Amino acid sequence: MSPSIVNLNALPLGWAIAVAALEFLIRLAVLGIVPHKRRPSVALGWLLAIYLIPFVGLILFLVLGNDKLPKARREKQVQMNRLIRQNSPAAAVIGDDHPMPVWVRSAAVLNDRLGALPMIAGNDLTLLDGYDTAYTAMAEDVRRAQRYVHVEFYIAADDPTTAPLLDALDDAVARGVRVRFLLDHLGSAGYPGYPELVRRLDASGVEWARMLPFRPWKLEYTRPDLRNHRKIVVIDGEVAFTGSQNCIDRSYNKRRNRRRGLQWEDLWIRGTGPVVDALNALFVTDWYSETEELVVDEAQDALPDEASGGLMCQVVPSGPGFENENNLRMINTVLYHALDRVDIVSPYFVPDESSLSAVTSAAQRGVRINLYVSEISDQFFVYHAQRSYYEELLEAGVRIYLYRSPTVLHTKAIVIDDAVAVVGSSNMDMRSFALNLEVSTLVHGQEFVTALDDVVARYRANSSTLDLEEWRNRPLGVKFLDNVCRLTSALM
């Protein structure tokens, strides 16, 4: 007999029959409801939960089962996409003086149709490899701001590491610069330094808002596991920063992290050129979504319809505000077109069926695939779910590098052959593909890839390689835990 959350033997016969009938109807109804527009793996995960614990599983499904933002929020995204398109050239690729593989142009067309932002030449990108380097660069540019500064982080805190940037923002406000600051509510709220940041922002004159706030007592409710994971800083429409780094100390200010000696390793990009306008358009979209204020006066009137020189860059927004999983489609596209090699750096690698197939298929057709992940992790279920994929990756020919503890490799980057890269906030996991609002930048340019290769080489030098036979012989209890956590991966 299938399990029941209610002890039917303890109930009067009439009640027992009613409860059993209700459980049966729930199980029958969800068979036709849950699979609607969901991956089979996700649907099976929810069905398993509902069948094992019908009432609790159903409540969780009703609260967490919809992986899209509310309709009103999605309509704002549609409205902003329409506005961006009105101020963008019709072509998906601008800068035809750049010779590029046909597939890169095809990927750019895909990204433009999904995310409303074209690929444009004329950009300059600088890799900022290190926390202190990133904060120093941002603070220096903020101190030169004359009109506005736009800041958006998934996690933000006031601590000694972030003080140089926050001090620069305070000084900017004092001299009349408009400073707007977005931070993810639940992403930030659990970290030491968040209450201090809130008090500081309130006192400083910075205009700020919580992204996707979860405060039901104030009638602010969004599905709690839908988060805005983007990291963007834009200054005067002239300079922008993006990447994987949050606005918090490398230890994330947690005592348990400091006891373990955990430090996060990130990659940050400073950009100039049309990529700045694209990142600013994304900030303006998120600001409008949270505040109802459309700050078009502090955004470029239109993206250029001509550009030359520099790097080809395309900003790719994704998340539950879009109808498609934009970053997943882009990543699968670049993986299937790789000819020589792919380097994947991701702290959380829990692929769906399509991305797992893309990675293993590339390896099996002779492409050199290197995967860089952390030896340790701060996320228990994700860590063990991720490990459950290692054996089939190794069997396909993927080389796995484990970045040595106690550092957590938090960079999110993909290098394809010698001239294409993707860098941003998106992990290679189903949370980033479906549940998080993310931002990635597709870059075509050999000089940028060469600089990124140097960073990856440093990661490789600080990593050990995973051996297939040794991995197969790990303890049975560990294998069991990895496989159990894999069952939860579709719901993460």
Side-chain angles (χ1 to χ4, degrees), residues 20-35 47 50-51 54:
L22 182 57
E23 288 188 3
F24 174 78
L25 290 174
I26 289 173
R27 292 185 173 109
L28 183 63
V30 296
L31 277 176
I33 295 173
V34 171
L47 288 173
I50 295 170
Y51 269 57

Side-chain angles (χ1 to χ4, degrees), residues 365-424:
R365 59 186 168 85
V367 178
R368 291 179 290 117
I369 308 288
N370 298 319
L371 173 63
Y372 298 83
V373 292
S374 294
E375 189 175 56
I376 56 173
S377 177
D378 62 320
Q379 303 286 340
F380 178 85
F381 287 102
V382 177
Y383 174 65
H384 284 284
Q386 173 173 299
R387 287 158 50 96
S388 74
Y389 291 91
Y390 288 170
E391 185 171 338
E392 54 200 296
L393 291 169
L394 291 167
E395 289 174 342
V398 176
R399 193 171 180 86
I400 299 177
Y401 291 87
L402 302 178
Y403 198 76
R404 292 188 178 92
S405 62
T407 303
V408 176
L409 184 57
H410 195 244
T411 296
K412 303 96 166 36
I414 304 175
V415 182
I416 307 96
D417 298 334
D418 294 325
V420 180
V422 178
V423 181

Side-chain angles (χ1 to χ4, degrees), residues 20-237:
L22 182 57
E23 288 188 3
F24 174 78
L25 290 174
I26 289 173
R27 292 185 173 109
L28 183 63
V30 296
L31 277 176
I33 295 173
V34 171
H36 180 64
K37 290 187 177 181
R38 289 182 176 84
R39 293 192 196 94
S41 59
V42 175
L44 286 172
W46 280 116
L47 288 173
L48 180 64
I50 295 170
Y51 269 57
L52 289 176
I53 43 173
F55 295 112
V56 174
L58 179 61
I59 291 171
L60 289 174
F61 174 74
L62 293 174
V63 174
L64 303 176
N66 183 6
D67 63 357
K68 297 297 180 186
L69 288 169
K71 183 179 180 181
R73 176 65 179 261
R74 298 200 308 275
E75 288 175 347
K76 287 183 179 179
Q77 183 67 61
V78 171
Q79 179 183 349
M80 290 303 299
N81 285 355
R82 189 180 302 116
L83 182 61
I84 291 169
R85 288 196 183 281
Q86 290 171 356
N87 291 279
S88 300
V93 181
I94 299 148
D96 285 333
D97 58 326
H98 283 68
M100 66 174 68
V102 173
W103 71 263
V104 177
R105 188 174 298 275
S106 177
V109 171
L110 169 71
N111 295 334
D112 177 66
R113 289 178 177 175
L114 296 179
L117 292 166
M119 173 177 267
I120 308 181
N123 300 283
D124 180 69
L125 300 180
T126 302
L127 291 173
L128 303 175
D129 186 19
Y131 258 68
D132 293 339
T133 304
Y135 284 117
T136 300
M138 284 188 287
E140 289 177 353
D141 282 322
V142 169
R143 291 190 184 281
R144 288 192 286 266
Q146 297 179 0
R147 296 184 294 134
Y148 67 86
V149 179
H150 291 161
V151 181
E152 178 173 344
F153 283 103
Y154 172 59
I155 297 173
D158 183 1
D159 59 44
T161 301
T162 63
L165 175 59
L166 298 177
D167 290 343
L169 294 176
D170 290 342
D171 292 344
V173 172
R175 63 177 187 273
V177 176
R178 295 288 295 272
V179 177
R180 294 181 175 88
F181 199 119
L182 288 171
L183 56 87
D184 187 86
H185 181 204
L186 294 186
S188 298
Y191 289 93
Y194 167 73
E196 292 81 359
L197 177 64
V198 169
R199 288 193 292 269
R200 179 171 186 156
L201 293 175
D202 283 338
S204 68
V206 171
E207 301 170 55
W208 73 282
R210 298 173 177 87
M211 295 187 292
L212 303 178
F214 184 79
R215 300 191 294 179
W217 59 94
K218 292 192 174 184
L219 301 180
E220 296 176 350
Y221 175 83
T222 304
R223 174 178 158 174
D225 61 335
L226 299 182
R227 311 301 339 142
N228 193 320
H229 198 238
R230 294 169 181 158
K231 293 94 174 170
I232 299 170
V233 178
V234 180
I235 299 145
D236 286 345

Side-chain angles (χ1 to χ4, degrees), residues 39 41 325 328-329 331-333 335-336 351-361 428 430 433:
R39 293 192 196 94
S41 59
E325 294 164 344
L328 173 61
R329 290 172 185 260
I331 289 170
N332 285 348
T333 296
L335 288 172
Y336 275 116
D352 76 333
E353 295 92 336
S354 68
S355 54
L356 180 63
S357 178
V359 171
T360 55
S361 294
M428 284 280 288
M430 284 180 273
F433 293 154

